[in-house]
Amino acid sequence: MKVTVSRKAHFNAAHRLYRKDWDDEKNRLIFGKCSNPNFHGHNYELIVSVTGEIDEETGYVMDIKILKEIIKSEVEEAFDHKNLNLEVPEFEALNPTAENIAVVIYDKIRPKLKPNLNLEITLFETPRNFVSYSGK
């Protein structure tokens, strides 16, 4: 029997959507106000969901306290109150769209979990706009 456990978290971060190989006009055309050269910010809401078999000894799929610490070290400390474009190495050459942020978060958390567990990342950029990613 597979069960999914989830942990919510949040972080605040600034970013600018743009491609260095495009001029400002094309960036504005594609990304609109999200391409503001002075950046803009979001209060991101994150849901990290782990699915697996319930351990017969503990009754857990995964200890939520451990998941909380993984999220804190891999996401909150790395992204909170940061300019994603300028301060987070993963976005040095990667446009920090919600889609790319979700994939980066997945790639940071996945190695910290047991191989038999499945992972899904749901990232809300606004209360109405969100993305989900569960691997390649």
Side-chain angles (χ1 to χ4, degrees), residues 62-107:
M62 174 180 190
D63 187 334
I64 288 285
K65 291 185 302 289
I66 294 171
L67 185 58
K68 174 185 171 184
E69 289 305 313
I70 292 169
I71 294 167
K72 181 180 177 192
S73 66
E74 297 301 320
V75 180
E76 293 171 331
E77 291 175 3
F79 294 175
D80 192 38
H81 285 79
K82 301 279 175 63
N83 181 314
L84 300 178
N85 300 77
L86 303 177
E87 298 178 88
V88 178
E90 289 87 352
F91 299 108
E92 186 175 310
L94 182 65
N95 202 5
T97 62
E99 294 89 338
N100 283 332
I101 296 168
V103 172
V104 166
I105 290 170
Y106 178 97
D107 289 344

Side-chain angles (χ1 to χ4, degrees), residues 7-17 34 39-47 71 75-76 79-85 88 91 95-102 105 121-127 129-131:
R7 170 86 183 172
K8 282 186 171 183
H10 71 272
F11 60 95
N12 303 317
H15 69 158
R16 176 185 182 201
L17 302 184
C34 294
F39 305 94
H40 68 282
H42 294 281
N43 299 318
Y44 291 96
E45 296 293 330
L46 174 66
I47 301 172
I71 294 167
V75 180
E76 293 171 331
F79 294 175
D80 192 38
H81 285 79
K82 301 279 175 63
N83 181 314
L84 300 178
N85 300 77
V88 178
F91 299 108
N95 202 5
T97 62
E99 294 89 338
N100 283 332
I101 296 168
I105 290 170
I121 300 300
T122 303
L123 181 69
F124 286 79
E125 190 171 66
T126 72
N129 298 338
F130 62 96
V131 299

Side-chain angles (χ1 to χ4, degrees), residues 2-6 48-53 61-62 67 106 109-110 113-121 133-135:
K2 294 210 177 215
V3 174
T4 300
V5 296
S6 299
V48 177
S49 298
V50 178
T51 302
E53 299 287 334
V61 169
M62 174 180 190
L67 185 58
Y106 178 97
I109 293 176
R110 177 69 258 176
L113 302 179
K114 293 179 180 174
N116 63 319
L117 298 174
N118 294 321
L119 174 64
E120 181 174 53
I121 300 300
Y133 180 68
S134 57

Side-chain angles (χ1 to χ4, degrees), residues 16-38:
R16 176 185 182 201
L17 302 184
Y18 77 107
R19 290 184 53 118
K20 295 174 188 174
D21 58 332
W22 292 353
D23 63 22
D24 285 343
E25 184 179 336
K26 185 168 183 179
N27 275 297
R28 270 193 306 277
L29 178 67
I30 301 299
F31 300 117
K33 65 183 180 179
C34 294
S35 188
N36 179 345
N38 294 315

Side-chain angles (χ1 to χ4, degrees), residues 56 101 136:
E56 288 183 20
I101 296 168
K136 297 176 167 70

